[in-house]
Amino acid sequence: MPQRIKRLSVFVANQIAAGEVVERPASIAKELIENSLDADAHRIVLTIEQGGVKRIRVVDDGDGIHGDDLALALCPHATSKIEAVEDLEGVATLGFRGEALASIASVSKMTIGTRRADADSGWQIDNVGTDTPQVAPIAHPRGTTVDVSDLFYNTPARRKFLKTERTELAHLNDIVTRLALGRFDVEFEVRQGSSVLHLPTSETDGLRRVAQLLGEGFAGAAVAIDAIHDDLHLHGWVGLPTYSRAQSDHQYFFVNGRSVKDRLVGYAVKQAYRDVLFHGRHPVFVLYLDLDPRQVDVNVHPTKYEVRFRDARMVRDFVFGALNRSLRDLRPGPGAVADVGGAQRGTYIPMRPEYEAPSLQQLLTLSSGAPVREAYVREPVVVPFDAAQHQVPPLGYAVGQLHEIYILAENADGLVVIDMHAAHERITYEKMKSARSATQQVQQQRLLVPVSLSVSPAEAELAQHHGDLLAALGLEIDRGGPASLIVRGVPALLAGSDVGSLVADVLADLAVDGSSDRIRQQEDDLLATMACHASVRAHRRLTIAEMNALLREMETTENAGQCNHGRPTFVVQTLSDLDQRFLRGR
Ligand code: ADP
Ligand code: MG
């Protein structure tokens, strides 16, 4: 091994730096599109071949690059966006490190063509990344074309790390979605083979683009968020708990227009959904946080996905508070509108058919020349608040029961269908929670005759171990033997329910997430299990008076729009929905 120190050639240094910025085709697309956005482009066209490995081309109509600067643009640490360290304080452009073009050029074959608006001629640079780069005049419309081909041709080891075309397309899909959700004022086009995804500008109707990118299902289940506190402004959309996903893939968060993956914010959102989402389900959201740029440091990582807030705790509390309030306000009501600190309204539309727009992913993987359909976008239905409707309660009056599962009710808008088990479960849960918070302890009713249960030794162990927690929730249980338990008391609200299966449910729950560091969460989970258990089961006949009582309780219960498991508790069929169904012109 040579002992003397040598300086790496610029080219090798760039290749090493490229390891951070150029991970895969999607990271190249990100850097190139961000450059176009920084150049104030209004229209950006991305072309992809073979998952981006063969070619990625970005064409924009932005400011262009000065002919004399073209060679410089490809040098490391060459940027037009900042000059001094102070400029980093409130950086407003997406790029500022001057590394991307140099890095990309070092691991691919790159050509750039460009023309500034005030220039007579366009310029092109070829043979980039070799010893003989050439700059020559060409005809080029205003803007810039960056063409990147044969990715990692000179670094075979890195090429091996690329995944299948399908996987790379999925990453590209994610990047395009992030960038396009960040700029409704810019038109995007993505071309792959003969398939084209066109995203027209949608400044006045952001939800239209959201529907194109995330599907009409989300757009239909989106609650608008708009909250302001001092310098902080949070806006965008969150999905109703009933529209959750098994993965956390549809979660988009922007800080001053920059898409970031922030753990802190992810946590705040999760907390806000805690009570209304079933375990293992993930909310969907597109949220924008705007704040004084000096309050946030974006220069944390080369990919700029992470940011650092000066006052992280305040940001977290603000995001949690805003979302928590709007989710709680989703009670059934006329037009059922969520109010966030009086600042904004979101529309809660319980029942809408889900017309899934073709996802970008689907379009990108389309290889045949099938014509691309415009995504189907429905106008949001906002039911205006009408004083005349005020007489009839929001969920109306019961008219009957269907198959002993649903309650049918008539309100000012039309027909309301209520899932009686789901509704009762939510009410019981909220009641138990408030009973607990009033007394710190759920009120207990002692059983006149203790119930003896045989369980597995592991379950007996579990019940004994969590005796205090269970007691706090109103369940008093003693160990009767190695495999038996004696139940002496149950929560007063649940008196009369089947003790054996109640305890079995609770123990099953404890077994699944038995860590005791999350007591409060665990208590809520157990309360939810008990509530579910004790609620009117389907197949029970209710009198009209009982049904109306349930409806009135729903109207005054927080979160009554969905059961504890995130399923809706009721849906509305308006008269005009019905009229349409019967082809009845009015
Ligand atoms: P950075 O974006 O951090 O400045 P890059 O390596 O991505 O660094 O780009 C270097 C410079 O090249 C930019 O500062 C900009 O002046 C110029 N540039 C790159 N892409 C474009 C583009 N599409 N339109 C106009 N100028 C561009
Ligand atoms: Mg850049």
Side-chain angles (χ1 to χ4, degrees), residues 210-230:
V210 172
Q212 272 193 287
L213 292 167
L214 303 185
E216 177 63 24
F218 173 57
V223 179
I225 300 292
D226 199 335
I228 297 178
H229 175 71
D230 293 340

Side-chain angles (χ1 to χ4, degrees), residues 35-36 39 60 64-65 73 78-81 95-102 144:
N35 279 345
S36 300
D60 69 49
I65 304 174
T79 178
S80 56
K81 299 170 192 174
F96 52 81
R97 300 169 67 104
E99 297 178 320
L101 290 185
T144 304

Side-chain angles (χ1 to χ4, degrees), residues 118-179:
D118 55 2
D120 303 335
S121 164
W123 294 90
Q124 172 161 305
I125 185 162
D126 277 317
N127 286 345
V128 174
T130 68
D131 295 337
T132 51
Q134 277 159 9
V135 179
I138 52 149
H140 194 281
R142 185 202 148 142
T144 304
T145 301
V146 182
D147 187 279
V148 175
S149 60
D150 293 338
L151 181 60
F152 298 142
Y153 76 99
N154 54 356
T155 51
R158 307 234 0 236
R159 200 179 172 114
K160 281 201 208 103
F161 278 98
L162 289 177
K163 297 284 188 318
T164 60
E165 180 175 344
R166 212 191 144 89
T167 307
E168 296 308 331
L169 285 172
H171 286 281
L172 280 158
N173 170 51
D174 182 56
I175 288 297
V176 172
T177 303
R178 281 174 196 283
L179 291 164

Side-chain angles (χ1 to χ4, degrees), residues 21 24 41 43 79 118 148 160-161 200 208 242 248 284 297 324 394 413 439 450 456 459 465 473 514 517:
V21 185
R24 54 179 6 132
R43 178 179 150 81
T79 178
D118 55 2
V148 175
K160 281 201 208 103
F161 278 98
R208 184 184 154 81
T242 43
S248 60
V284 177
D297 182 6
N324 192 38
D413 295 329
T439 58
S456 75
E459 284 173 325
H465 182 74
L473 297 178
D517 52 331

Side-chain angles (χ1 to χ4, degrees), residues 394-426:
L395 291 175
Y397 296 113
V399 290
Q401 207 176 358
L402 187 68
H403 284 263
E404 300 176 4
I405 299 171
Y406 298 106
I407 295 172
L408 306 181
E410 176 185 351
N411 75 356
D413 295 329
L415 172 71
V416 189
V417 183
I418 299 103
D419 177 335
M420 63 189 215
H421 172 67
H424 193 223
E425 180 186 335
R426 168 54 75 180

Side-chain angles (χ1 to χ4, degrees), residues 311-535:
D311 191 343
R313 167 173 238 173
M314 184 175 75
V315 169
R316 189 193 60 200
D317 291 350
F318 168 64
V319 171
F320 170 77
L323 298 187
N324 192 38
R325 241 173 300 135
S326 23
L327 290 172
R328 303 217 134 236
D329 284 348
L330 292 176
R331 279 178 235 182
V337 157
D339 238 307
V340 185
Q344 249 284 346
R345 316 166 332 124
T347 316
Y348 179 26
I349 308 150
M351 182 166 82
R352 294 184 61 191
E354 291 190 6
Y355 295 97
E356 280 289 351
S359 71
L360 182 57
Q361 170 77 36
Q362 280 166 333
L363 286 170
L364 285 175
T365 44
L366 266 182
S367 50
S368 75
V372 177
R373 272 184 307 131
E374 269 285 287
Y376 184 86
V377 177
R378 274 182 90 187
E379 294 305 313
V381 186
V382 182
V383 187
F385 183 83
D386 177 353
Q389 295 180 351
H390 216 174
Q391 273 56 291
V392 183
L395 291 175
Y397 296 113
V399 290
Q401 207 176 358
L402 187 68
H403 284 263
E404 300 176 4
I405 299 171
Y406 298 106
I407 295 172
L408 306 181
E410 176 185 351
N411 75 356
D413 295 329
L415 172 71
V416 189
V417 183
I418 299 103
D419 177 335
M420 63 189 215
H421 172 67
H424 193 223
E425 180 186 335
R426 168 54 75 180
I427 292 167
T428 313
Y429 174 60
E430 292 295 340
K431 267 193 186 161
M432 289 176 65
K433 272 204 333 187
S434 46
R436 178 194 58 189
S437 44
T439 58
Q440 283 309 317
Q441 179 124 1
V442 173
Q443 213 195 342
Q444 198 198 74
Q445 179 162 330
R446 285 189 69 84
L447 298 174
L448 285 177
V449 184
V451 177
S452 169
L453 299 173
S454 29
V455 293
S456 75
E459 284 173 325
E461 220 21 80
L462 204 62
Q464 193 175 9
H465 182 74
H466 290 287
D468 288 346
L469 171 62
L470 296 174
L473 297 178
L475 264 182
E476 196 187 324
I477 303 180
D478 284 341
R479 185 135 183 195
S484 74
L485 296 172
I486 300 168
V487 185
R488 300 190 187 280
V490 296
L493 275 163
L494 303 186
S497 63
D498 174 3
V499 175
S501 53
L502 173 68
V503 172
D505 281 0
V506 169
L507 290 180
D509 241 32
L510 268 180
V512 174
D513 57 37
S515 70
S516 49
D517 52 331
R518 299 163 36 235
I519 293 280
R520 192 73 178 193
Q521 160 91 58
Q522 212 172 29
E523 282 186 20
D524 287 352
D525 293 346
L526 294 182
L527 286 180
T529 301
M530 295 200 244
C532 174
H533 184 85
S535 303

